[in-house]
Amino acid sequence: MPTTVENLQVAFAGESQANRKYLAFARKAEKEGYPQIAKLFRAAAEAETIHALAHLGNMGGVGSTLENLRAAVSGETYEFTEMYPPMVAQAQAENHKARHMLGFANAAEKVHAGLFGQALQALEAGADLSKMDVYLCPVCGDVEFGNPPDKCPICGAPASKYQKIG
């Protein structure tokens, strides 16, 4: 019989996936001209976030900012060094359409690890990151400090596609 913590881990994963899935469903409903159904999907997605965050908190999954940054660096590093490379290779071997996004994700995770590393260094020195704008490439997930590059270094999207994160 699983422990409560094991149950919370399973519930956290399920609620997190449901959130992302419902957001994808909302986008599709919007594109198909069903704005009210899209609202329902977005509301349910937010409800799943409430559940997921409560489960994560009850597992002790959120620590101090220092602990959270260390966990983020570790998680992102695992993704780009161990998790994604065999997935990319498999998708390439199968010539699967996912090979592009898996490759983008792999490259973006490396960027994320580096940026979290910068934040960790700043915090360990007793400071926050310098005040700067943060931009997200909505095509591949690249994150940039300052101004977006003319062209995304991962997927080639133009700077105009980047979204400023507030």
Side-chain angles (χ1 to χ4, degrees), residues 42-148:
R42 282 193 298 276
E46 190 58 32
E48 304 299 1
T49 296
I50 291 166
H51 303 156
L53 293 177
H55 298 331
L56 183 62
N58 285 319
M59 292 191 290
V62 179
S64 68
T65 299
L66 181 64
E67 292 165 330
N68 295 339
L69 281 170
R70 287 179 178 151
V73 169
S74 176
E76 298 292 310
T77 300
Y78 165 77
E79 289 176 351
F80 82 81
T81 60
E82 296 181 43
M83 185 182 86
Y84 276 117
M87 292 178 181
V88 171
Q90 182 69 34
Q92 289 172 339
E94 294 175 6
N95 199 31
H96 194 283
K97 67 181 180 178
R99 68 189 182 280
H100 299 295
M101 185 45 94
L102 287 168
F104 291 165
N106 188 54
E109 302 305 359
K110 187 172 186 176
V111 171
H112 302 167
L115 297 177
F116 282 132
Q118 287 179 36
L120 180 59
Q121 286 179 335
L123 189 59
E124 288 174 336
D128 195 353
L129 287 169
S130 300
K131 187 173 181 177
M132 67 191 102
D133 291 329
V134 178
Y135 288 89
L136 169 69
C137 175
V139 176
C140 70
D142 179 46
V143 175
E144 297 286 337
F145 289 158
N147 293 311

